[in-house]
Amino acid sequence: AAYGAAVATVEGDALLAGYPQIHAVGRAAGEKQQPRLVDLTWGAADAPRVTLVGKGVCFDTGGLDLKPAAAMLTMKKDMGGAAHVLGLAAMVMDAGLPVRLRVLIPAVENAVSGDAFRPGDVLAARNGKTTEIGNTDAEGRLVLADALVEACADAPELLVDCATLTGAGRVALGTDVPALFANEEGVDVADELVAVSAGEQDQVWRLPLWPGYREQIDSKIADLKNIGAGPYGGAITAALYLAEFVEAPPDGGAPPPWLHLDMMAYNTGSKPGRPEGGEAMGMRALFRLLEARYKA
């Protein structure tokens, strides 16, 4: 409201008509906490289109593949990706960057009930691709998939998603450095972001979207599986899963340049100016990237 942005929401059973994976993940939370897709738009319609997608799992129990109690203690942070794109959007609007901004947030609670989605289920995404559920605790990529398909339909000039997606990303880079992935169209932008992040002291680091691991998310009964076949490379296989939903626009052409940030979004301990708890990681770097590309 402060910047004149428009917000639309699709929630509850209305998701079944176009965002079935968001609905499947969030339906177990019940009527008081219905899953939804929040869609914010701002800026002139003829300006360059920048779309931000953020994982909004507002609490993650792990679903029927229940997390251990200790692992669940910080899961109020699993909406960190959504928080990042909202914060970045506020920076873009406050700076008045001449872009057509769109923010898509699939917001769900991954809960446990008799209506929860199950291991072994096969879900169909917005684009019709099917996914075998190997683990209900790999739910973030499922809700992001529907949102990414919708984002691509709008043919953005740049597509960025932020998500607290994998523990494997933290094993690779620790808790302070988000892992960055990019499709072929986004390689140059990704390299630019890594360089900018160093200057901003807001480091991100690129990992390969290596097609050699693509077979790990093959399924015998669906197009895809939501977890990799082995214990290694989990951040890469998660990114490869998301890449299946970054598509060319309906009228043809190439997919948009796409950046995917897999982040912790949380300080595990306190440092000067950085108290324990939720933390912006990569947000300032992303803003400087957008400012450099689109400054009036």
Side-chain angles (χ1 to χ4, degrees):
Y3 296 105
V7 180
T9 303
V10 182
E11 63 182 81
D13 287 346
L15 292 163
L16 289 169
Y19 306 98
Q21 292 195 166
I22 299 175
H23 182 273
V25 171
R27 69 190 183 214
E31 291 187 6
K32 291 185 178 180
Q33 198 78 338
Q34 292 190 82
R36 63 203 65 206
L37 178 71
V38 181
D39 187 349
L40 178 149
T41 53
W42 173 86
D46 58 350
R49 295 180 180 182
V50 174
T51 299
L52 312 176
V53 178
K55 173 187 167 184
V57 177
C58 300
F59 193 83
D60 184 15
T61 67
L64 293 180
D65 287 307
L66 195 68
K67 291 180 182 290
M72 212 184 296
L73 286 174
T74 58
M75 282 302 104
K76 62 183 180 182
K77 81 169 183 68
D78 214 18
M79 35 57 72
H84 273 71
V85 297
L86 285 173
L88 180 57
M91 296 168 79
V92 168
M93 293 187 288
D94 189 63
L97 295 188
V99 298
R100 175 63 167 177
L101 179 67
R102 189 180 191 193
V103 179
L104 292 166
I105 296 175
V108 300
E109 180 174 333
N110 188 18
V112 177
S113 79
D115 197 28
F117 76 116
R118 302 175 297 272
D121 279 354
V122 174
L123 306 181
R126 180 170 176 80
N127 63 355
K129 287 186 178 180
T130 55
T131 298
E132 177 190 0
I133 303 305
N135 192 305
T136 62
D137 198 19
E139 83 297 331
R141 64 202 71 183
L142 300 173
V143 300
L144 287 170
D146 278 351
L148 288 170
V149 173
E150 171 58 24
C152 291
D154 203 31
E157 187 174 291
L158 178 63
L159 172 60
V160 179
D161 83 74
C162 295
T164 51
L165 203 62
T166 69
R170 310 290 64 76
V171 171
L173 297 176
T175 57
D176 293 348
V177 180
L180 170 66
F181 296 87
N183 61 357
E184 289 185 12
E185 292 76 14
V187 165
D188 291 342
V189 189
D191 290 343
E192 186 180 347
L193 178 60
V194 171
V196 167
S197 75
E200 285 294 308
Q201 298 184 34
D202 190 24
Q203 188 71 59
V204 303
W205 198 254
R206 192 166 161 225
L207 295 183
L209 194 67
W210 192 54
Y213 289 162
R214 171 59 183 79
E215 64 183 18
Q216 290 194 26
I217 56 172
D218 284 341
S219 167
K220 295 179 180 179
I221 59 173
D223 297 317
L224 300 160
K225 199 170 183 178
N226 76 326
I227 57 170
Y232 305 116
I236 297 174
T237 54
L240 287 166
Y241 178 86
L242 295 181
E244 294 287 324
F245 302 91
V246 178
E247 304 177 323
D251 56 357
W258 167 59
L259 305 181
H260 161 57
L261 280 84
D262 182 344
M263 58 185 56
M264 181 73 171
Y266 195 87
N267 291 328
T268 55
S270 292
K271 298 177 183 178
R274 295 287 184 270
E276 182 176 345
E279 180 63 83
M281 296 178 175
M283 185 193 299
R284 289 182 291 112
L286 282 166
F287 175 73
R288 292 303 182 199
L289 174 76
L290 296 178
E291 184 182 50
R293 292 174 70 88
Y294 300 111
K295 188 164 62 175

